Amino acid sequence: MATRDQQVGEVIEGLALGLAMLGFSEVPRSKLDFEFAISHAWRRWDHADAYPSIGRAPKPDNLLWIGLTKSAGRRPASFRFDRGDPFSDYRIVTPSWWSADEAEPVVGDRPNESWRALASLFAEWDGWKRK
């Protein structure tokens, strides 16, 4: 079983992949907006139960926000979020080898389509817009 931090890292990396697949290049920097959007998505995502440490957390949305803010420090070959300064949005960073047509799973054991589903639910929340 993966640790809580590993589960959070995988979900954040998968969210970045899914959003990139949908054509997003960044997400707003607002903690409140992120928490509303991820909470909306998490409650509806079919695979959330595969991440029990996140589901058991008192505030899964806050736990995932912390994962987002730590995302920039992940290895360069991963999907992640990065922010140049405190006033900029979180930019989605994709590995140089990746293309949107990639068919094989690249984050955890989930197929890319499951990450696209999480990102679609996340993007449904009105606070987000395609950039």
Side-chain angles (χ1 to χ4, degrees):
M1 171 77 54
T3 67
R4 183 179 78 171
D5 287 345
Q6 290 168 329
Q7 290 178 34
V8 169
E10 184 172 313
V11 169
I12 292 300
E13 187 175 354
L15 178 62
L17 165 63
L19 288 168
M21 291 172 71
L22 293 175
F24 285 83
S25 60
E26 56 188 26
V27 295
R29 67 181 179 270
S30 166
K31 179 180 190 277
L32 189 58
D33 287 343
F34 177 84
E35 287 185 345
F36 278 130
I38 198 65
S39 183
H40 169 85
W42 192 255
R43 287 190 310 267
R44 292 163 179 78
W45 190 43
D46 291 339
H47 305 284
D49 59 347
Y51 301 91
S53 294
I54 297 171
R56 286 192 302 265
K59 293 191 54 132
D61 51 352
N62 186 59
L63 185 62
L64 291 167
W65 167 258
I66 293 167
L68 172 84
T69 63
K70 293 180 177 180
S71 178
R74 294 181 63 84
R75 68 193 191 292
S78 65
F79 293 84
R80 61 192 194 281
F81 295 89
D82 195 7
R83 190 165 133 188
D85 64 65
F87 302 106
S88 64
D89 291 337
Y90 283 92
R91 183 175 50 94
I92 297 168
V93 180
T94 60
S96 59
W97 53 262
W98 180 78
S99 76
D101 301 324
E102 194 69 35
E104 296 297 315
V106 293
V107 175
D109 295 330
R110 304 221 162 281
N112 289 348
E113 200 49 47
S114 65
W115 297 119
R116 184 193 309 256
L118 176 63
S120 292
L121 292 165
F122 182 85
E124 281 179 1
W125 190 74
D126 293 337
W128 299 102
K129 60 184 176 205
R130 185 176 303 269
K131 290 196 173 200

